[in-house]
Amino acid sequence: MRIGWEIRLGIVSILLFQFVTAFGTIGLLGRMSPAIERILERNVASLTAVEDMLSVLARDRGIDDGKRRKEFQAALGRAGKNITEPAEKPLVLKIRKSHEAALAGDGDATDATVDALRSLGRVNREAMGRSDLQAKALGKAGMWAAVA
């Protein structure tokens, strides 16, 4: 009679441990989805804005300058609202300073604007890389929790 009770207690303990482990794993893996969404939300929007600004600068200057200016400023506004890394703010300010002259055809201003845009893209790609490493670390922790 005593052995039957100990067996039941052992089985119940194993099942409880299994449930705790399963819910812990679900919690860890559930944290990956927001991490991946954060990568997309924060950095892809900035990269898209950078691409849009570069495409405006690359277009033929024969196109209506008012239209080019509006497109550039719209993309710059999106980048300015989506500052998520400390290194982005000075770059956006630099772009704000030089973009008017760049759109008017000033070669030095164009070079400065393009350099700042490339740096802004690099900052966001690096942030995506860091976020990717964090998401992978969460995934590994979830895998090991599942194994345990």
Side-chain angles (χ1 to χ4, degrees):
M1 182 80 167
R2 177 107 173 124
I3 293 176
W5 184 84
E6 289 174 352
I7 290 173
R8 280 191 217 116
L9 179 64
I11 291 173
V12 167
S13 297
I14 289 171
L15 288 175
L16 284 174
F17 182 73
Q18 179 65 35
F19 281 124
V20 168
T21 303
F23 285 110
T25 303
I26 290 168
L28 282 170
L29 294 176
R31 289 178 57 194
M32 281 182 64
S33 179
I36 293 167
E37 286 175 27
R38 195 169 42 250
I39 292 170
L40 296 176
E41 178 183 305
R42 290 180 171 185
N43 302 108
V44 172
S46 292
L47 287 173
T48 302
V50 167
E51 291 170 0
D52 291 347
M53 287 184 273
L54 285 170
S55 73
V56 169
L57 288 174
R59 277 198 214 128
D60 182 17
R61 287 178 178 81
I63 296 174
D64 176 25
D65 281 342
K67 181 180 178 186
R68 289 175 71 223
R69 183 169 280 107
K70 284 180 187 176
E71 287 180 29
F72 192 97
Q73 289 174 342
L76 182 56
R78 290 193 316 269
K81 290 178 186 173
N82 196 39
I83 293 175
T84 57
E85 300 294 319
E88 286 181 286
K89 190 170 186 172
L91 293 169
V92 169
L93 291 174
K94 187 174 181 181
I95 295 165
R96 283 189 200 283
K97 266 190 195 178
S98 62
H99 83 280
E100 288 289 341
L103 289 171
D106 182 329
D108 291 336
T110 301
D111 290 344
T113 304
V114 168
D115 289 344
L117 286 167
R118 292 183 69 204
S119 294
L120 185 59
R122 180 183 41 76
V123 165
N124 279 282
R125 283 189 303 278
E126 288 171 357
M128 288 174 78
R130 286 190 306 273
S131 295
D132 180 52
L133 289 175
Q134 290 172 347
K136 285 179 181 177
L138 283 173
K140 286 181 183 178
M143 288 186 298
W144 282 110
V147 168

